[in-house]
Amino acid sequence: MKEYDVIIVGGGIHGAGVLQAAAAAGHRALLIEQRGIASGTSSRSSKLIHGGLRYLESGQFSLVRESLRERAIHLRIASELVELKAFFIPVYGDTRRRPWQLKLGLWLYALLGGFSASTRFGGVPKRDWPTLDGLETRGLDAVIRYYDAQTDDELLTRAVIRSARELGGEVSVPAQFVGANLTEDGVLVTYSKDAANVECRATVLVNAAGPWATQVSRTVRPAIPIPATELVQGTHIVVPRKVTAGIYYVESPADGRAVFIMPWHGATMIGTTETPYQGEPDRVKPLPEEEEYLLAVVRHYFPAFRDLTREHITSRFAGLRVLPAATEEAHHRSRETLFSSDRKSRPRVLSIYGGKLTGWRAAAAQVMELIGPSLPVRARRAATDSLILRRTS
Ligand SMILES: Cc1cc2nc3c(=O)[nH]c(=O)nc-3n(C[C@H](O)[C@H](O)[C@H](O)COP(=O)(O)OP(=O)(O)OC[C@H]3O[C@@H](n4cnc5c(N)ncnc54)[C@H](O)[C@@H]3O)c2cc1C
C-alpha cells in the first residue's frame, strides 16, 4: 500500500494550493481529482484577484487586508496570469453609494493595501467619459476609478498544479475519492481509478472538494464534525460585444446588488447572481431568470447593448459558493475560509469550506500550519510566495 504524508481531495484552486504548499514543505503528497483540474468552481468564478472592496461594508477588514496582500503577491509571482485593470464605478442620481462614500471606502482599501501604487484611485474627469465604452451618461454624476486584478481562474489553477508537480507533488485525475477510515495516527483512503478501487495511507487527509466538501466529509469513518454551510449559485454570461477600457462595477437596477461587466477574450462577461441552491453540486447550471437579470444590468448601463437578448449569449456558466449557514442574504455573509478538523491537536482530516480564488495561497499556508503538528519533519524545498507561476497553455 502506498503511503503519503498528505492526500488531498479536489483539483480546484484550494487543492492545487495545498498540494503545492505540501510539496514545497518537502512532504509526499497526492491530489485526487474526479473530473479535471479546475472543473468545479475554480473555472466558474468572476476571475478577479481582488481585495474585495464591498467586504469593507460588512466589516471584513482582515479578509480585505489579506486579499490585497495576496493580490500584490500574485502580481509579482504570476505576472503572466494576473493583470492589474482599471475598475470604474459610475454614480448616477439614484445610485445607492454616493461618491464621498466610495472615496472613503477606497481610502480605507488603500490603507489596508499599504498605500501601494496599485491602490491609487480618483474620479474620471467628465471630458474622459466618452472613452468609457459607451457608458450611459444621462443622469451620470461621477465615475470613480480604482485598480484591481483579473486572471483566468482555470489557467491559474493549472499553473499552481504544474508548480506543485515540479516540486514532486503527485496528481491522479480522473480519480474519485470513495471514503476514508481514521486510524490512531492517520487515515486509510480509498479512491477509484479506472473502475478499480485503490487503497493508500495518509498521515493527513485534506478535503478541498469545494461544494462537494460536505459529501466528502460524510464518507469519513468514524464520523467527523461537519459545519453547517449552504450553497449559493452564481451565474455569468458572455455576450458578443466589447468593453475595453476596464471593468465596470455597477449596481443592479433591480435590487442594488453589485455586478461586474468585464472584458473577456474580445467579448463581455457579466456576473454574478446569488441564487440559493439545494441540489447536487454536479447539476448546477445557469437559470433563464439569472440570464435575464444580468442582461437587464448591462442594457441599463450600456445603450449599445440594449438589443441583446438571451439568444445572443455565447457562453454561460454557474458556480457554487460555500457560505456559512445563516439567515441574512448571501452578499452580507462572511467570505472567510472555514477550516474544520476531526480533532483539535494533531488532526487527521482537515476540510476547507468556502474561501476565495484570491486567497488560495494564504489558505494553503494556513492548512499547513494546522496540519503541521501531525506531519513528520521534512526538508523544505521552496517558499510558495516566491515560486513563479507560468501559463500552461
Ligand atoms: C460565482 C462565483 C464567483 C466567484 N468569483 C470570485 C472572484 O472573482 N475572485 C475570488 O477571489 N473568488 C471568487 N469566487 C470564489 C472562488 O471561485 C472559490 O472560492 C474557489 O474557486 C473554490 O475553489 P475550491 O478548490 O475550494 O473548489 P472547486 O474549484 O469547486 O474544486 C473542488 C474540486 O473537488 C473535486 N471533487 C469533488 N468531489 C470529489 C471526489 N469525491 N473525488 C475527487 N474529486 C472530487 C471537484 O471535481 C472539483 O474539481 C467566486 C465563486 C463563485 C461561485
Side-chain angles (χ1 to χ4, degrees), residues 106-121:
L106 283 164
W107 182 85
L108 193 52
Y109 205 57
L111 173 74
L112 293 169
F115 291 113
S116 63
S118 59
T119 63
R120 66 196 183 276
F121 65 93

Side-chain angles (χ1 to χ4, degrees), residues 23 26 106 117-118 131 167 182 197 231 235 259 264 267-268 281 337 367:
L106 283 164
S118 59
T131 64
L167 292 163
L182 303 180
N197 272 359
L231 301 178
T235 285
V259 173
W264 186 245
T268 298
T337 317
V367 167

Side-chain angles (χ1 to χ4, degrees), residues 9-16 32-50 55 153 175-178 208-213 215-216 232-236 260 272-273 282 317-322 352 354-359:
V9 183
I13 194 68
H14 281 129
I32 304 163
E33 163 54 47
Q34 63 185 358
R35 293 218 165 72
I37 297 302
S39 58
T41 326
S42 300
S43 56
R44 305 183 214 167
S45 78
S46 300
K47 305 172 199 311
L48 301 176
I49 297 294
H50 62 159
Y55 304 139
D153 45 5
Q176 189 170 38
F177 171 82
V178 176
W212 295 265
Q215 290 180 3
V216 164
V232 175
Q233 155 168 359
T235 285
H236 289 81
F260 294 109
T272 171
T273 53
D282 292 302
F317 55 92
L320 291 169
R321 302 175 183 87
V322 181
I352 305 171
K356 302 285 297 169
L357 183 73
T358 308

Side-chain angles (χ1 to χ4, degrees), residues 35-247:
R35 293 218 165 72
I37 297 302
S39 58
T41 326
S42 300
S43 56
R44 305 183 214 167
S45 78
S46 300
K47 305 172 199 311
L48 301 176
I49 297 294
H50 62 159
L53 182 59
R54 73 189 169 85
Y55 304 139
L56 291 176
E57 284 183 338
S58 44
Q60 300 182 63
F61 301 124
S62 61
L63 174 66
V64 173
R65 187 188 293 109
E66 178 187 275
S67 301
L68 286 168
R69 194 181 57 228
E70 289 302 314
R71 187 185 79 175
I73 293 173
H74 277 91
L75 291 168
R76 181 163 47 77
I77 65 171
S79 59
E80 289 179 12
L81 290 149
V82 179
E83 196 187 346
L84 203 63
K85 286 258 157 97
F87 278 59
F88 301 103
I89 310 179
V91 186
Y92 298 84
D94 57 356
T95 303
R96 294 185 186 185
R97 295 165 193 90
R98 303 316 302 161
W100 71 265
Q101 289 170 307
L102 292 165
K103 284 186 179 161
L104 188 64
L106 283 164
W107 182 85
L108 193 52
Y109 205 57
L111 173 74
L112 293 169
F115 291 113
S116 63
S118 59
T119 63
R120 66 196 183 276
F121 65 93
V124 178
K126 198 167 183 175
R127 65 173 181 279
D128 292 341
W129 291 358
T131 64
L132 297 178
D133 299 298
L135 179 72
E136 177 64 86
T137 50
R138 268 182 304 162
L140 187 59
D141 290 339
V143 180
I144 313 287
R145 174 175 36 212
Y146 73 106
Y147 295 85
D148 246 329
Q150 190 181 31
T151 189
D152 180 315
D153 45 5
E154 182 174 348
L155 292 184
L156 180 66
T157 308
R158 288 185 180 285
V160 180
I161 289 280
R162 176 157 108 173
S163 164
R165 279 188 147 137
E166 284 168 2
L167 292 163
E170 293 178 34
V171 177
S172 189
V173 52
Q176 189 170 38
F177 171 82
V178 176
N181 286 294
L182 303 180
T183 62
E184 193 35 49
D185 56 353
V187 192
L188 292 171
V189 174
T190 308
Y191 65 94
S192 87
K193 171 106 190 133
D194 303 326
N197 272 359
V198 181
E199 302 230 318
C200 49
R201 226 192 84 80
T203 308
V204 181
L205 176 73
V206 174
N207 170 7
W212 295 265
T214 297
Q215 290 180 3
V216 164
S217 290
R218 284 200 185 119
T219 67
V220 177
R221 294 284 172 273
I224 56 170
I226 303 178
T229 56
E230 284 168 12
L231 301 178
V232 175
Q233 155 168 359
T235 285
H236 289 81
I237 57 171
V238 178
V239 293
R241 294 283 156 83
K242 271 191 184 180
V243 291
T244 55
I247 293 178

Side-chain angles (χ1 to χ4, degrees), residues 242-259:
K242 271 191 184 180
V243 291
T244 55
I247 293 178
Y248 296 85
Y249 190 173
V250 299
E251 283 180 4
S252 154
D255 56 10
R257 277 191 54 255
V259 173

